[in-house]
């Protein structure tokens, strides 16, 4: 019986020893994890004895420990006796920091945490995202381009209309967000017929043919039928004399038109841009936006703003020359309007 108790005791001691070794191994692994995930800090005191807060606001072990200044390089370092570390001296006051968003903390230029603007004492600094920053902008109107990146608080250029502030009514032109129609080009910079025929909208225009939109052409006229949805009138369908079709669909925001060839091919869909109130938006047969279009006869230009960000203006008098002819594919009109009101039904069956 005594021998059994002795054997059991030996087993327990071995188990406790193994558990101790296991705990030690776990402790060593935990230290390794801390090295991989250093503690954030604002000043040296946050890091404890033998550690300092580096320029990235992360705790790291001292490179050189010290008890007095004699233990450090006296020309570039001081001894911080509270943590026992030699620390490099990069500043004596905030203005010594070249980065205007940094502050001199424990002789080192670093970013400063904050909770309100008053915590940020350097000129032009604001408390943004809980850190003192020296922003170039905080809203789009502070930038010449009207584009403020609210992640970096810097002014940028635009590439697409979607880069412009939402609900501002601004559009992207030559890197700037501008009010539609305010960025008129000099006449010498306006493009001609060849460039128009290379534009993103030309294939759509050419598919349907400008003759179907010009009231002077003989193909206009023909039959008219009512478009009905759930027993309610939703627009009109016009069948032209050569078999082509134009559909005007009434919507809550206005209308959209469908241009359909005589063989039934849908060339495009078009609707007014209710934000700018200047452009018409063109879509292909898959209902994907291709570009925006405006004809400004008063200012003498035609503008196409492609969905891929390419924007161009064309000389109106090169695209349209009245009865003497005009550039293939170009039309002054973007929707069908019958020369005289045909005999259209007014009630759905």
């Amino acid at each position: 019986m005594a021998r059994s108790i002795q054997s059991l005791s030996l087993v327990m001691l071995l188990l406790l020893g193994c558990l101790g070794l296991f705990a030690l191994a776990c402790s060593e692994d935990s230290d390794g994890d801390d090295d991989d995930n250093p503690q954030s800090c604002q000043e040296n005191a946050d890091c404890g004895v033998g550690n300092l807060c580096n320029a990235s606001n992360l705790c790291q072990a001292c490179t050189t420990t010290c008890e007095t200044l004699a233990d450090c390089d006296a020309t570039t370092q001081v001894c911080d006796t509270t943590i026992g570390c030699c620390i490099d001296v990069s500043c004596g006051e905030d203005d010594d920091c070249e980065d205007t968003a940094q502050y001199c903390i424990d002789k080192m230029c670093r970013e400063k945490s904050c909770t309100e603007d008053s915590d940020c004492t350097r000129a032009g600094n604001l408390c943004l995202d809980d850190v003192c920053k020296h922003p170039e902008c905080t809203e789009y109107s502070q930038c010449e381009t009207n584009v403020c990146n609210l992640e970096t608080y810097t002014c940028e250029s635009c590439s697409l209309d979607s880069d412009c502030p939402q609900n501002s009514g601004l559009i992207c032109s030559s890197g700037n967000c501008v009010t539609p129609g305010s960025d008129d080009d000099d006449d010498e910079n306006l493009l001609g017929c060849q460039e128009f025929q290379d534009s993103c909208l030309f294939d759509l225009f050419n598919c349907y043919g400008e003759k179907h939109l010009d009231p002077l052409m003989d193909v206009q006229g023909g039959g008219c039928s009512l478009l009905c949805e759930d027993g309610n009138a939703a627009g009109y369908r016009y069948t032209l004399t050569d078999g082509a079709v134009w559909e005007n669909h009434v919507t809550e925001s206005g209308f959209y038109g469908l241009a359909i060839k005589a063989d039934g091919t849908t060339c495009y869909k078009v609707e007014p841009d209710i934000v700018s109130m200047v452009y018409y938006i063109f879509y292909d047969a898959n209902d994907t936006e291709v570009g925006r279009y405006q004809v400004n006869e008063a200012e003498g230009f035609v503008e196409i703003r492609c969905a891929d960000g390419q924007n161009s203006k064309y000389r109106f008098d090169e695209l349209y020359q009245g009865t003497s002819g005009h550039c293939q594919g170009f039309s002054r009109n973007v929707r069908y309007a019958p020369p005289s009101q045909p005999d259209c039904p007014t009630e759905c069956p």
Side-chain angles (χ1 to χ4, degrees):
M1 179 69 176
R3 184 174 298 173
S4 298
I5 293 174
Q6 289 177 349
S7 299
L8 182 60
S9 298
L10 180 60
V11 170
M12 291 296 292
L13 287 173
L14 288 172
L15 285 173
L16 288 172
C18 289
L19 288 172
L21 290 172
F22 180 74
L24 179 61
C26 289
S27 176
E28 290 175 350
D29 288 345
S30 177
D31 290 343
D33 289 342
D34 288 342
D35 292 338
D36 294 336
N37 300 283
Q39 174 186 336
S40 61
C41 56
Q42 183 66 58
E43 55 187 18
N44 292 335
D46 297 334
C47 301
V49 176
N51 298 285
L52 56 80
C53 186
N54 64 23
S56 299
N57 288 67
L58 297 172
C59 292
Q60 68 174 52
C62 292
T63 304
T64 305
T65 59
C66 65
E67 293 181 355
T68 67
L69 179 59
D71 298 325
C72 307
D73 181 349
T75 60
T76 61
Q77 295 179 321
V78 295
C79 179
D80 187 332
T81 56
T82 59
I83 60 172
C85 291
C86 293
I87 60 173
D88 296 323
V89 177
S90 63
C91 60
E93 57 185 20
D94 294 340
D95 289 342
D96 294 335
C97 300
E98 292 185 6
D99 187 334
T100 55
Q102 290 190 331
Y103 290 75
C104 187
I105 303 174
D106 291 332
K107 307 298 183 182
M108 182 177 290
C109 292
R110 66 176 91 246
E111 71 176 23
K112 181 180 180 182
S113 299
C114 60
T115 56
E116 54 187 30
D117 289 342
S118 61
D119 296 332
C120 306
T121 53
R122 298 196 69 180
N125 281 13
L126 298 173
C127 186
L128 301 167
D129 305 321
D130 300 324
V131 175
C132 291
K133 296 181 180 181
H134 190 90
E136 182 180 7
C137 61
T138 55
E139 58 182 38
Y140 75 86
S141 61
Q142 295 171 332
C143 302
E144 290 187 3
T145 60
N146 280 322
V147 183
C148 179
N149 185 326
L150 294 180
E151 293 183 358
T152 60
Y153 299 100
T154 55
C155 294
E156 297 181 350
S157 299
C158 63
S159 299
L160 303 171
D161 290 346
S162 57
D163 295 333
C164 297
Q166 292 185 352
N167 303 319
S168 65
L170 301 179
I171 58 174
C172 182
S173 179
S174 302
N176 299 325
C177 290
V178 300
T179 302
S182 66
D183 58 332
D184 295 341
D185 296 308
D186 295 333
D187 287 348
E188 62 185 24
N189 295 325
L190 299 181
L191 304 176
C193 178
Q194 182 59 58
E195 292 85 359
F196 178 85
Q197 293 176 343
D198 292 334
S199 72
C200 60
L201 293 181
F202 175 74
D203 288 343
L204 274 61
F205 292 149
N206 204 44
C207 170
Y208 193 59
E210 70 273 16
K211 66 182 181 180
H212 298 120
L213 301 175
D214 191 332
L216 300 178
M217 296 293 183
D218 294 336
V219 297
Q220 290 223 338
C224 173
S225 58
L226 192 62
L227 296 173
C228 297
E229 293 181 2
D230 299 326
N232 299 314
Y236 287 95
R237 177 184 177 93
Y238 300 96
T239 303
L240 283 65
T241 55
D242 66 348
V245 169
W246 179 272
E247 291 185 356
N248 269 340
H249 293 254
V250 178
T251 66
E252 291 183 0
S253 58
F255 87 97
Y256 70 85
L258 290 179
I260 305 170
K261 292 175 63 175
D263 63 4
T265 301
T266 297
C267 294
Y268 60 80
K269 169 186 169 182
V270 60
E271 65 180 357
D273 178 0
I274 61 174
V275 176
S276 70
M277 303 301 293
V278 171
Y279 300 96
Y280 283 90
I281 309 173
F282 281 78
Y283 304 84
D284 62 18
N286 296 317
D287 208 26
T288 300
E289 182 178 337
V290 179
R292 303 183 180 212
Y293 184 69
Q294 73 154 316
V295 177
N296 191 325
E297 293 187 41
E299 298 291 337
F301 69 85
V302 173
E303 183 178 12
I304 294 178
R305 308 179 65 83
C306 299
D308 64 3
Q310 298 297 314
N311 306 322
S312 300
K313 286 186 176 181
Y314 308 85
R315 187 188 297 273
F316 175 77
D317 58 13
E318 281 199 25
L319 304 184
Y320 183 79
Q321 299 173 4
T323 57
S324 61
H326 51 273
C327 180
Q328 180 182 347
F330 172 71
S331 175
R332 297 167 66 191
N333 306 299
V334 298
R335 59 183 293 189
Y336 173 81
S340 59
Q341 185 62 35
D343 184 15
C344 295
T346 57
E347 295 184 2
C348 293

